[in-house]
Amino acid sequence: MICLDICSVIEKKKKGLALSGGEIDFFVKGYLDGSIQDCQASALLMAVCLKGMNEEETSALTFAIRNSGEIFDRSGISGIIADKHSTGGVGDKTSLIVAPTVASLGLKVFKMSGRGLGHTGGTADKLEAIEGFNVSLSRSEAEETVNRTGMCIITQNESFAPADKKLYALRDVTATVDSIPLIASSIMGKKLALGDDCIVLDVKAGSGAFMKNKDDAADLARLMVRAGKRAGRKITALITDMDKPLGNAIGNSLEVIEALDVLKGKGPGDLRKLSLELSAHMLRLAGYGDGDYCRRLAEDAIDSGKALEKFAETVEAQGGRKEMLFDVSLFPGAVVRHFVKAEKSGYIYHTDAEAYGNAAKVLGAGRQKLGDMIDLSAGITLKAKTGEFVEKGDIIAELHTSSNEKAEQAAVIIGSATRISDVRPDDCPLIIGKFGD
Ligand code: URA
């Protein structure tokens, strides 16, 4: 038997050498059982970020994550199971809209979502802004909820992909998120632990994404599509724009309220458009019809109120206070409100999404270190979007937080992240590319 030690595994990756499947399993098992410490895991993650992993190593890491917990026996769920997963963005609350939309049309959605990661928000944290909402259901509770209501959203737990839960939290606070193999294995490890028949991936590209350019986003998309296909799943990856925040709200409660707006037939156009597109691809993969027909089905589910009803049913089934969906004044507001104003007249030329995400973290919407509590009411409401004309002194963003000090720090970040110009920027498409089925 070969005897492994973590320092030589770190050393090997530090030199840019490929790790064997055995070494990757040893790392994942050891980190999960505590024999490998946070500092050692952080060192290896950083070495992976800097030196990369080939496709075999990425596949070994994906399977080690998948096998770290139970593999869901999908035979307990009747119907087609579909899921959608984003690689992470700023203001991206589409899961809260897409999941109930397709579930209201008969798909089964068993979704495993993460918490905030780096400068991006996480669906699990957002859902906890609804009083009582439990994202930590056991396997049998989750299965019962999916069968009863058609959907359920949980987070990585001791049953499913526990290694991802631990690695994800560590990556969040060690600047080791933006790595193609780490993102691909984290997402596909979770997806393959669940029994999804159809998977739609939203691979973000731009300043607010972990992939800053389209080529890297396309590499990540292709890698995940190949992993899904090898596992026999129907899978599509869309590359979508994340150069500017999606919608107008950033921060947990604010994002839930904005997702509810869309489910009520209102809300920002870009958010509605992307949610419809992702829903349509899930329905198409599940065999409901062609893209246009599926988009119309999704539109109808939202406009008729069916999707909102489905969301309310799920919130109730997962212990959440359903009344909050219909009376959003029940979401606790932040104690401090602060306005950021335009320093000159002109077009909003660029709103650097990563900086906006970091500003939201400063306001309290994300974690700075392992175990930090987040302020669910903290965040940013954009009052002027890229391409809009503002006069000097107009409000461009409203900040929600718990202290003036945090508001002032975030205002400085937002001020320098917002470029105002005499020239109107070119419109850039929301959907940039597509891979897979
Ligand atoms: N979403 C995940 O689940 N994992 C990542 O690494 C990034 C986004």
Side-chain angles (χ1 to χ4, degrees):
M1 197 179 95
I2 307 165
C3 204
L4 292 167
D5 84 279
I6 186 62
C7 286
S8 35
V9 175
I10 299 169
E11 191 68 39
K12 197 168 166 186
K13 187 43 74 186
K14 189 175 84 181
K15 290 181 180 145
L17 301 173
L19 302 180
S20 68
E23 286 165 330
I24 290 170
D25 275 346
F26 161 77
F27 162 64
V28 172
K29 287 200 182 98
Y31 185 50
L32 196 54
D33 71 21
S35 55
I36 293 174
Q37 301 165 29
D38 283 345
C39 55
Q40 297 171 314
S42 309
L44 184 57
L45 292 172
M46 186 56 83
V48 171
C49 278
L50 299 174
K51 300 291 178 176
M53 270 184 160
N54 64 31
E55 192 157 344
E56 267 176 29
E57 292 174 282
T58 309
S59 172
L61 186 55
T62 304
F63 280 96
I65 288 174
R66 182 195 78 154
N67 296 338
S68 65
E70 291 176 43
I71 312 287
F72 184 68
D73 173 11
R74 57 103 53 238
S75 64
I77 293 186
S78 52
I80 301 173
I81 310 181
D83 197 3
K84 165 262 155 194
H85 201 97
S86 154
T87 57
V90 178
D92 180 8
K93 64 283 285 176
T94 54
S95 290
L96 304 177
I97 301 161
V98 170
T101 299
V102 300
S104 76
L105 291 160
L107 286 184
K108 295 287 163 61
V109 183
F110 183 16
K111 188 158 178 45
M112 202 192 302
S113 291
R115 299 196 175 276
L117 194 58
H119 60 276
T120 70
T123 303
D125 290 332
K126 291 171 203 178
L127 284 168
E128 284 180 348
I130 303 170
E131 213 177 293
F133 195 103
N134 181 8
V135 288
S136 305
L137 301 185
S138 67
R139 189 194 53 74
S140 57
E141 287 168 333
E143 186 173 320
E144 194 272 324
T145 307
V146 178
N147 271 328
R148 187 156 48 87
T149 69
M151 70 172 268
C152 157
I153 304 183
I154 58 167
T155 192
Q156 309 100 312
N157 57 31
E158 304 332 315
S159 302
F160 299 114
D164 185 56
K165 176 177 173 158
K166 237 182 139 180
L167 288 168
Y168 191 98
L170 187 65
R171 288 168 59 215
D172 182 32
V173 293
T174 53
T176 52
V177 178
D178 56 345
S179 142
I180 290 181
L182 294 181
I183 296 175
S185 55
S186 163
I187 293 180
M188 293 313 291
K190 285 194 283 285
K191 299 299 105 180
L192 300 186
L194 300 183
D196 306 306
D197 303 299
C198 309
I199 302 169
V200 174
L201 300 170
D202 181 4
V203 181
K204 305 279 188 199
S207 81
F210 296 116
M211 297 298 108
K212 302 294 179 204
N213 63 62
K214 290 171 203 155
D215 290 345
D216 286 346
D219 286 347
L220 175 59
R222 282 195 210 95
L223 189 62
M224 292 195 287
V225 165
R226 280 200 295 272
K229 284 197 166 294
R230 270 200 302 274
R233 313 297 167 89
K234 287 191 182 151
I235 182 162
T236 293
L238 298 184
I239 313 274
T240 71
D241 175 55
M242 188 24 78
D243 225 23
K244 46 189 174 301
L246 185 64
N248 300 327
I250 306 167
N252 300 288
S253 298
L254 297 170
E255 292 195 39
V256 176
I257 294 170
E258 188 168 83
L260 288 168
D261 274 347
V262 173
L263 287 171
K264 291 171 189 169
K266 299 174 281 180
D270 57 348
L271 178 60
R272 175 178 161 103
K273 182 172 176 202
L274 183 56
S275 303
L276 287 172
E277 203 58 33
L278 294 166
S279 304
H281 281 288
M282 286 169 85
L283 296 164
R284 182 183 58 77
L285 288 185
Y288 278 55
D290 67 18
D292 288 341
Y293 178 69
C294 290
R295 204 170 297 107
R296 283 200 299 278
L297 286 179
E299 262 163 11
D300 183 56
I302 290 180
D303 296 340
S304 64
K306 264 171 36 184
L308 178 63
E309 242 172 72
K310 181 56 70 186
F311 191 49
E313 214 183 312
T314 307
V315 165
E316 193 163 41
Q318 293 196 229
R321 191 174 168 200
K322 184 171 115 175
E323 307 83 82
M324 292 173 81
L325 312 190
F326 302 99
D327 178 2
V328 296
S329 69
L330 294 171
F331 283 86
V335 280
V336 173
R337 303 281 179 98
H338 183 93
F339 296 110
V340 182
K341 298 189 175 158
E343 281 176 1
K344 62 177 192 170
S345 301
Y347 292 98
I348 306 279
Y349 195 83
H350 185 54
T351 40
D352 180 335
E354 178 170 12
Y356 271 67
N358 283 326
K361 252 173 104 165
V362 167
L363 293 168
R367 296 174 185 80
Q368 307 284 353
K369 56 181 189 321
L370 273 180
D372 269 358
M373 290 287 288
I374 52 178
D375 175 355
L376 293 167
S377 63
I380 303 168
T381 313
L382 273 75
K383 299 288 184 189
K385 297 264 286 181
T386 304
E388 275 176 39
F389 188 85
V390 289
E391 297 287 355
K392 182 176 177 189
D394 280 356
I395 295 169
I396 54 172
E398 182 178 3
L399 312 184
H400 308 247
T401 189
S402 56
S403 76
N404 288 325
E405 197 189 338
K406 288 181 188 168
E408 277 153 24
Q409 265 183 44
V412 171
I413 301 176
I414 288 179
S416 47
T418 312
R419 209 172 120 209
I420 299 179
S421 161
D422 295 338
V423 184
R424 193 184 182 283
D426 292 337
D427 291 328
C428 86
L430 190 55
I431 320 272
I432 303 167
K434 173 180 165 290
F435 294 91
D437 293 312

